[in-house]
Amino acid sequence: FRECTNVTVQDITLKDPASWNQTYDQCKNVLVEREIVDSKSYWNNDGIDINDCEDVVIRDCFIDAADDVYCFKSHSADHGCKNVLLENCVGRSSANGVKFGTVSRGFFKDFKIRNITMYDTFRSAITFAAVDGADIENIEVDGVRAYNTGNVIFLRMGRRWDKGKEPSMKNILIKNVYA
């Protein structure tokens, strides 16, 4: 979905995509609810990619992915992900469970992540990767269960592509984590 408004995806099963399973790009008012996703047919299979979207709710989903499960990206320095709720979701990943980045040119603001379970994540249950100048702020993570994970929480800041812009992370609260 690209530049769409009022997108609702509910009660579906997605299986064996050729690449990323589903991408929402510069959309507003997105609801993804009660999805089952089997995304392991190729090594780069993300479960869901939210790119530069605003007012997003993802809830009550189960995603099994070869790559990142719940992945938030920003491809544009002029856009970002804002007002996002991720709750009551489960994921299994050969990479990361919840990931901010790696493409991170704009911003990630005003997120609430509640009651999530990640298991068999080769890399991290939760990753913040502000490597392209992103501002990550006002993030609340409350209620994480992580089983068999490489890292529980991974934070990375850098200047990979946007050499002039310094990334930032502020007002990030992570609580009630069991790993």
Side-chain angles (χ1 to χ4, degrees):
F1 293 89
R2 168 97 173 133
E3 297 179 4
C4 298
T5 301
N6 299 326
V7 177
T8 299
V9 179
Q10 294 174 310
D11 301 307
I12 64 170
T13 298
L14 302 171
K15 185 171 173 54
D16 295 332
S19 185
W20 294 352
N21 197 302
Q22 55 191 318
T23 301
Y24 303 84
D25 191 352
Q26 294 184 12
C27 296
K28 293 183 180 178
N29 299 321
V30 176
L31 172 63
V32 177
E33 191 170 45
R34 297 182 303 274
E35 272 191 347
I36 297 172
V37 176
D38 184 350
S39 184
K40 302 183 303 293
S41 58
Y42 184 67
W43 70 271
N44 191 31
N45 284 112
D46 288 352
I48 183 170
D49 289 275
I50 304 295
N51 180 45
D52 293 320
C53 293
E54 294 184 21
D55 303 319
V56 176
V57 174
I58 303 169
R59 75 163 60 103
D60 300 323
C61 296
F62 173 81
I63 297 178
D64 188 355
D67 203 358
D68 303 320
V69 178
Y70 302 95
C71 193
F72 303 98
K73 299 176 184 287
S74 177
H75 288 215
S76 169
D78 298 324
H79 293 89
C81 291
K82 184 177 181 180
N83 296 327
V84 176
L85 172 63
L86 172 66
E87 70 178 349
N88 302 327
C89 290
V90 176
R92 198 242 29 109
S93 168
S94 300
N96 298 285
V98 176
K99 186 175 185 187
F100 292 78
T102 301
V103 180
S104 53
R105 292 181 179 232
F107 59 82
F108 304 95
K109 294 182 180 179
D110 304 323
F111 276 67
K112 292 193 182 303
I113 300 171
R114 298 190 287 224
N115 190 32
I116 61 169
T117 300
M118 296 296 142
Y119 67 94
D120 294 346
T121 54
F122 178 74
R123 292 192 179 114
S124 302
I126 300 172
T127 294
F128 294 91
V131 297
D132 301 320
D135 296 317
I136 300 177
E137 65 181 280
N138 300 331
I139 312 294
E140 180 183 310
V141 180
D142 184 2
V144 176
R145 288 175 306 284
Y147 304 93
N148 193 28
T149 185
N151 302 294
V152 179
I153 300 164
F154 181 76
L155 304 172
R156 177 180 171 207
M157 291 178 59
R159 291 169 55 189
R160 183 176 65 159
W161 292 335
D162 295 325
K163 302 296 185 210
K165 187 171 181 237
E166 292 288 333
S168 69
M169 290 187 198
K170 61 184 175 185
N171 299 324
I172 298 174
L173 172 65
I174 301 172
K175 62 183 181 177
N176 298 315
V177 175
Y178 173 85

